[in-house]
Amino acid sequence: MSAPTPTARAPHPGSARAAVRPAGLGRPLPRYVALEVRRTLRDGGFVVMGAVMPLAMYLLFTNLGITDAQDRAGYARYSMVGMAAYGALGAALAVGGGVAEDKGHGWLRQLRVTPLSPLQVVTGRALTASVTVLPAIVAVLTAGALADGVRLAAWQWAATAVLLWLGTLPFTLLGLGNGYGLTGQTTSVANTACMMGLSVAGGLWIPAEAFPHWLAALSRWTPTARYGDLGWSILDNRAPGLGTVAVLAGWLAVFAGYAVLAYRASARTA
């Protein structure tokens, strides 16, 4: 008598997913980022205007009211970093406006049926925003060199640009949190308030040394003051301090949590 033929077992659904998932684990996020970058670059006016305002303010601030050549040269260096940071801050926050529009058009409902997790969606939009902050940084640094004669070593130009670029991540996440958590109109108001308030309190327009004592002490804990320090430290031929890195890292964690929670809430109600 022959032995019974073993009955084939259907694979457990969970194990099947586990077997398939690793092969495509990293694919959805790069594709999503590539899609969002293409959408962003189609709006050339947004990218251009993101550089025009900080460039105009920089040229205005450095050519009015300062007559002494030495004072003007020193202020031009300070203001160059401050206005580049201000422009990049505005571009980073503005990503929230696009998110709010997507939410109104039902794009978040479409993302819910993709393999992307909430963290991946937020990360993808943050990476996309890194494209839009570059024009403001490049425009203001170029104006500093050509219009106001700011002279730096090659490594200082490169380090200033890269640090200001990387330092926009916390503000991108803040903008995303506003976009996911608020309505389209409210997002615009909130982003403008954040941009103006943080820029002034962080000393991007006026040096914090000119603030009242209490405001100067408070300024050191704002993300914008530490963001500006990334560039100002390079002008002083030194690396950003541990305090600057720690404060920015703390704000990065806070804004990342805000963005992820806001996305989850909006996905449930979209």
Side-chain angles (χ1 to χ4, degrees), residues 36-253:
E36 293 295 347
V37 167
R38 288 195 299 269
R39 294 177 64 205
T40 300
L41 293 180
R42 289 194 189 105
D43 189 359
F46 171 78
V47 177
V48 172
M49 288 305 298
V52 170
M53 181 60 72
L55 177 59
M57 291 182 65
Y58 169 72
L59 294 175
L60 180 66
F61 282 10
T62 56
N63 287 277
L64 292 179
I66 302 178
T67 56
D68 185 85
Q70 186 174 0
D71 290 344
R72 186 172 179 274
Y75 184 69
R77 289 162 56 93
Y78 178 92
S79 184
M80 179 184 71
V81 170
M83 286 299 105
Y86 167 69
L89 166 65
L93 287 171
V95 70
V99 166
E101 290 182 7
D102 288 346
K103 185 170 61 176
H105 296 155
W107 178 232
L108 292 188
R109 288 194 297 270
Q110 299 297 321
L111 290 177
R112 289 181 64 187
V113 300
T114 69
L116 292 167
S117 68
L119 180 59
Q120 286 178 313
V121 171
V122 173
T123 300
R125 290 305 294 252
L127 292 174
T128 302
S130 66
V131 176
T132 64
V133 303
L134 284 173
I137 296 173
V138 172
V140 175
L141 294 185
T142 301
L146 299 180
D148 286 322
V150 175
R151 295 292 178 260
L152 300 174
W155 72 268
Q156 288 178 302
W157 287 114
T160 300
V162 170
L163 288 176
L164 290 179
W165 177 54
L166 295 176
T168 57
L169 181 55
F171 308 109
T172 298
L173 294 172
L174 173 60
L176 289 175
N178 290 341
Y180 288 128
L182 305 174
T183 64
Q185 185 175 3
T186 308
T187 297
S188 178
V189 174
N191 284 344
T192 300
C194 288
M195 180 176 65
M196 302 295 288
L198 288 174
S199 295
V200 173
L204 299 185
W205 290 7
I206 303 171
E209 289 78 7
F211 291 172
H213 178 72
W214 66 269
L215 183 56
L218 179 64
S219 176
R220 300 302 297 167
W221 294 98
T222 63
T224 37
R226 300 298 184 156
Y227 176 45
D229 276 344
L230 295 178
W232 293 320
S233 63
I234 299 300
L235 299 186
D236 294 335
N237 293 298
R238 59 181 175 83
L242 291 178
T244 291
V245 175
V247 172
L248 280 176
W251 283 108
L252 174 64

